[in-house]
Amino acid sequence: MKEEQSRKRRRGKHKKPQKTQPSLLPKHSTKLHKKTHQQKNPAHQSSSSSLKSSSFLDKMKARLAGGHFRMINEKLYTCTGKEALDYFKEDPELFDMYHAGYQEQMSHWPELPVNIIIKWLKERSSSLIVADFGCGDARVAKNVKNKVFSIDLVSNDPSVISCDMSNTPLRPSSVDVAVFCLSLMGTNYASYLKEACRVLKPSGWLLIAEVKSRFDPNNGGADPNMFSKAVCEMGFTSALKDFSNKMFVLLYFKKKENKSSNGREIEWPELKPCIYKRR
Ligand code: SAH
């Protein structure tokens, strides 16, 4: 809502909103982040005009970076985990670009779901073993005493396991808590949850935080009850459905002691991409 409003305001100011141009390939555009000759040598300009042009350049850079973030973000929501892994393997810089934009977006959220999950963990025994699926900057691992397996497509940190989370190197029934914080991005998201089910111990926790609009059936989002039913059919019971936050939903599940599969294929709802608007 807020995003929509701020977009309208900007549109009013600039009339023609710039589209993210597919021709602006992120790989090449990273060069734009480097200082230009003029910036390096401010003596070439009068101080006030250099100030003006540098703030203009900063604005342009921020706009470009925002465009790149939205392009990568859309890509991640519309491809499989395997495709996303190949995408980042080809150019790992894209991952940093994505995360810079992601942090910028998150800075506008009044409350971050990852902090709620950290709080949840801190209120429980630190002996619980955690797997953080799609860990990003590994904030969970950095803020709790528990043993945390941090998993993401790219690892900038030796403690992060880099892989597609539908196929992790974790042993079966080896973790107590599986976390998906804003990370059910791929079109094959069900395979991530199946992987979590495989690595979770019986009675283990599955904690999901997702962007609210993805579970808003009135706006093309998935039916949360259908999603919850699908997770339960995989061998879980629903433990919490919290829709109180404006930005995200929290869906917590507990793995059943004994998995009783009826052999029927599970019907997973489609989760629509979360497309961030220009700010
Ligand atoms: N959980 C973090 C980061 C969320 S951003 C937080 O709340 O701050 C979503 C993360 O999921 C990104 O870092 C992205 O790279 C990761 N991700 C998306 N699909 C993935 C996949 N198939 N395998 C591993 N990580 C994935």
Side-chain angles (χ1 to χ4, degrees):
M1 191 63 172
K2 233 186 201 167
E3 286 166 3
E4 189 60 38
Q5 280 167 358
S6 65
R7 192 166 57 119
K8 278 185 189 151
R9 244 181 276 135
R10 232 186 2 264
R11 275 200 176 154
K13 260 192 232 163
H14 301 292
K15 290 272 186 313
K16 265 193 190 168
Q18 276 200 346
K19 281 207 182 115
T20 311
Q21 295 184 13
S23 61
L24 292 174
L25 288 175
K27 202 168 186 172
H28 304 138
S29 64
T30 52
K31 287 184 186 142
L32 290 168
H33 291 263
K34 291 182 186 150
K35 284 184 178 172
T36 63
H37 177 69
Q38 275 192 332
Q39 275 177 291
K40 277 187 207 157
N41 298 284
H44 287 256
Q45 295 169 320
S46 77
S47 61
S48 79
S49 76
S50 103
L51 265 181
K52 259 188 223 154
S53 67
S54 80
S55 80
F56 174 74
L57 265 176
D58 286 345
K59 265 190 206 153
M60 293 314 286
K61 278 186 207 165
R63 189 174 281 193
L64 204 52
H68 289 154
F69 161 71
R70 287 189 298 278
M71 190 176 78
I72 304 165
N73 182 64
E74 190 167 339
K75 164 80 184 164
L76 295 180
Y77 276 114
T78 51
C79 72
T80 64
K82 161 90 178 63
E83 284 163 344
L85 186 66
D86 293 343
Y87 180 67
F88 283 141
K89 256 190 199 154
E90 210 166 283
D91 189 350
E93 266 184 51
L94 294 180
F95 185 77
D96 299 334
M97 230 181 247
Y98 172 76
H99 272 283
Y102 175 79
Q103 295 306 340
E104 209 285 317
Q105 287 291 335
M106 288 300 121
S107 69
H108 300 279
W109 286 31
E111 190 170 24
L112 295 184
V114 68
N115 290 336
I116 295 188
I117 286 169
I118 289 168
K119 186 165 172 275
W120 187 96
L121 286 168
K122 281 186 168 168
E123 285 165 0
R124 283 163 181 81
S125 166
S126 60
S127 66
L128 296 177
I129 299 170
V130 182
D132 185 7
F133 287 82
C135 65
D137 60 3
R139 201 170 287 201
V140 173
K142 287 175 191 157
N143 286 283
V144 299
K145 291 196 186 120
N146 309 52
K147 162 81 193 148
V148 181
F149 294 104
S150 301
I151 299 158
D152 211 301
L153 292 163
V154 173
S155 166
N156 288 326
D157 180 320
S159 71
V160 174
I161 304 167
S162 91
C163 65
D164 169 17
M165 60 192 172
S166 60
N167 187 15
T168 71
L170 304 185
R171 282 182 292 113
S173 306
S174 60
V175 310
D176 299 288
V177 186
V179 173
F180 288 87
C181 187
L182 308 182
S183 58
L184 292 178
M185 301 184 85
T187 50
N188 60 324
Y189 79 86
S191 63
Y192 309 153
L193 297 175
K194 278 181 205 147
E195 179 65 356
C197 186
R198 182 186 73 80
V199 304
L200 271 174
K201 296 176 189 173
S203 299
W205 289 91
L206 170 63
L207 311 183
I208 300 175
E210 259 311 327
V211 177
K212 199 167 196 176
S213 59
R214 304 187 82 198
F215 285 104
D216 178 4
N218 296 325
N219 283 305
D223 176 351
N225 293 326
M226 185 180 175
F227 176 82
S228 193
K229 187 168 167 263
V231 175
C232 292
E233 278 174 22
M234 210 169 49
F236 288 85
T237 50
S238 169
L240 173 89
K241 285 182 191 170
D242 184 344
F243 287 78
S244 62
N245 193 283
K246 247 172 73 178
M247 310 302 276
F248 56 83
V249 299
L250 298 169
L251 300 168
Y252 294 179
F253 299 87
K254 226 167 180 252
K255 189 172 167 180
K256 287 182 189 156
E257 282 286 338
N258 299 303
K259 200 191 158 199
S260 52
S261 164
N262 58 17
R264 256 186 290 151
E265 204 178 310
I266 301 173
E267 214 183 308
W268 293 93
E270 195 185 316
L271 288 186
K272 72 168 182 172
C274 164
I275 304 295
Y276 295 95
K277 304 281 190 330
R278 269 186 55 193
R279 288 191 176 274

Short mmCIF file of all heavy atoms in Angstrom, two decimals, residues 38 41-57:
data_model
loop_
_atom_site.label_atom_id
_atom_site.label_comp_id
_atom_site.label_asym_id
_atom_site.label_seq_id
_atom_site.Cartn_x
_atom_site.Cartn_y
_atom_site.Cartn_z
N GLN A 38 35.72 12.52 -13.28
CA GLN A 38 35.33 13.79 -12.67
C GLN A 38 35.15 13.68 -11.18
O GLN A 38 35.54 14.57 -10.44
CB GLN A 38 34.03 14.27 -13.30
CG GLN A 38 34.30 15.04 -14.58
CD GLN A 38 33.05 15.74 -15.03
OE1 GLN A 38 31.96 15.28 -14.74
NE2 GLN A 38 33.20 16.83 -15.73
N ASN A 41 38.41 13.69 -9.40
CA ASN A 41 39.14 14.95 -9.45
C ASN A 41 38.19 16.13 -9.31
O ASN A 41 37.88 16.81 -10.27
CB ASN A 41 39.89 15.06 -10.78
CG ASN A 41 40.90 13.93 -10.90
OD1 ASN A 41 41.94 13.97 -10.27
ND2 ASN A 41 40.56 12.92 -11.68
N PRO A 42 37.72 16.37 -8.11
CA PRO A 42 36.72 17.43 -7.95
C PRO A 42 37.26 18.80 -8.32
O PRO A 42 36.49 19.72 -8.56
CB PRO A 42 36.35 17.36 -6.47
CG PRO A 42 37.33 16.48 -5.81
CD PRO A 42 38.05 15.72 -6.85
N ALA A 43 38.59 18.94 -8.41
CA ALA A 43 39.16 20.24 -8.77
C ALA A 43 38.72 20.67 -10.16
O ALA A 43 38.77 21.84 -10.51
CB ALA A 43 40.68 20.17 -8.71
N HIS A 44 38.23 19.74 -10.95
CA HIS A 44 37.77 20.05 -12.29
C HIS A 44 36.46 20.84 -12.29
O HIS A 44 36.02 21.30 -13.30
CB HIS A 44 37.54 18.77 -13.10
CG HIS A 44 38.83 18.14 -13.49
ND1 HIS A 44 39.33 18.20 -14.76
CD2 HIS A 44 39.74 17.44 -12.76
CE1 HIS A 44 40.49 17.56 -14.80
NE2 HIS A 44 40.75 17.09 -13.61
N GLN A 45 35.84 20.92 -11.12
CA GLN A 45 34.55 21.59 -11.07
C GLN A 45 34.53 22.59 -9.94
O GLN A 45 35.30 22.48 -8.99
CB GLN A 45 33.45 20.56 -10.78
CG GLN A 45 33.30 19.57 -11.89
CD GLN A 45 32.41 18.43 -11.43
OE1 GLN A 45 32.50 17.98 -10.31
NE2 GLN A 45 31.56 17.96 -12.32
N SER A 46 33.62 23.53 -10.02
CA SER A 46 33.47 24.41 -8.87
C SER A 46 32.83 23.58 -7.77
O SER A 46 32.13 22.62 -8.05
CB SER A 46 32.57 25.58 -9.24
OG SER A 46 31.25 25.15 -9.26
N SER A 47 33.06 23.95 -6.50
CA SER A 47 32.61 23.07 -5.42
C SER A 47 31.10 22.89 -5.42
O SER A 47 30.61 21.79 -5.20
CB SER A 47 33.10 23.56 -4.07
OG SER A 47 32.56 24.84 -3.86
N SER A 48 30.31 23.97 -5.70
CA SER A 48 28.86 23.79 -5.62
C SER A 48 28.35 22.92 -6.76
O SER A 48 27.52 22.06 -6.57
CB SER A 48 28.15 25.13 -5.60
OG SER A 48 28.08 25.65 -6.90
N SER A 49 28.91 23.10 -7.98
CA SER A 49 28.40 22.28 -9.07
C SER A 49 28.85 20.83 -8.87
O SER A 49 28.14 19.90 -9.22
CB SER A 49 28.86 22.81 -10.43
OG SER A 49 30.20 22.49 -10.65
N SER A 50 30.04 20.63 -8.26
CA SER A 50 30.46 19.25 -8.05
C SER A 50 29.55 18.59 -7.02
O SER A 50 29.20 17.43 -7.13
CB SER A 50 31.92 19.18 -7.65
OG SER A 50 32.06 18.95 -6.27
N LEU A 51 29.16 19.36 -6.01
CA LEU A 51 28.25 18.82 -5.01
C LEU A 51 26.93 18.42 -5.65
O LEU A 51 26.41 17.33 -5.43
CB LEU A 51 27.97 19.85 -3.93
CG LEU A 51 28.84 19.77 -2.68
CD1 LEU A 51 28.43 20.84 -1.70
CD2 LEU A 51 28.74 18.39 -2.06
N LYS A 52 26.43 19.35 -6.48
CA LYS A 52 25.14 19.10 -7.14
C LYS A 52 25.24 17.85 -8.00
O LYS A 52 24.41 16.97 -7.95
CB LYS A 52 24.76 20.29 -8.01
CG LYS A 52 23.72 21.19 -7.35
CD LYS A 52 23.27 22.23 -8.34
CE LYS A 52 23.17 23.59 -7.67
NZ LYS A 52 23.33 24.69 -8.58
N SER A 53 26.32 17.78 -8.84
CA SER A 53 26.38 16.67 -9.78
C SER A 53 26.64 15.36 -9.05
O SER A 53 26.17 14.32 -9.46
CB SER A 53 27.41 16.93 -10.87
OG SER A 53 28.69 16.91 -10.28
N SER A 54 27.38 15.42 -7.91
CA SER A 54 27.60 14.15 -7.24
C SER A 54 26.31 13.65 -6.61
O SER A 54 26.03 12.47 -6.59
CB SER A 54 28.75 14.21 -6.25
OG SER A 54 28.30 14.79 -5.06
N SER A 55 25.48 14.60 -6.11
CA SER A 55 24.23 14.10 -5.53
C SER A 55 23.31 13.59 -6.64
O SER A 55 22.58 12.63 -6.47
CB SER A 55 23.55 15.16 -4.67
OG SER A 55 22.85 16.05 -5.49
N PHE A 56 23.40 14.22 -7.82
CA PHE A 56 22.62 13.73 -8.96
C PHE A 56 23.11 12.34 -9.35
O PHE A 56 22.31 11.41 -9.54
CB PHE A 56 22.77 14.70 -10.14
CG PHE A 56 22.13 14.20 -11.41
CD1 PHE A 56 20.75 14.21 -11.54
CD2 PHE A 56 22.91 13.72 -12.45
CE1 PHE A 56 20.15 13.74 -12.70
CE2 PHE A 56 22.31 13.24 -13.61
CZ PHE A 56 20.93 13.26 -13.73
N LEU A 57 24.43 12.19 -9.39
CA LEU A 57 24.99 10.88 -9.75
C LEU A 57 24.59 9.82 -8.73
O LEU A 57 24.24 8.70 -9.09
CB LEU A 57 26.52 10.97 -9.79
CG LEU A 57 27.13 11.22 -11.15
CD1 LEU A 57 28.63 11.38 -11.02
CD2 LEU A 57 26.81 10.07 -12.10
#
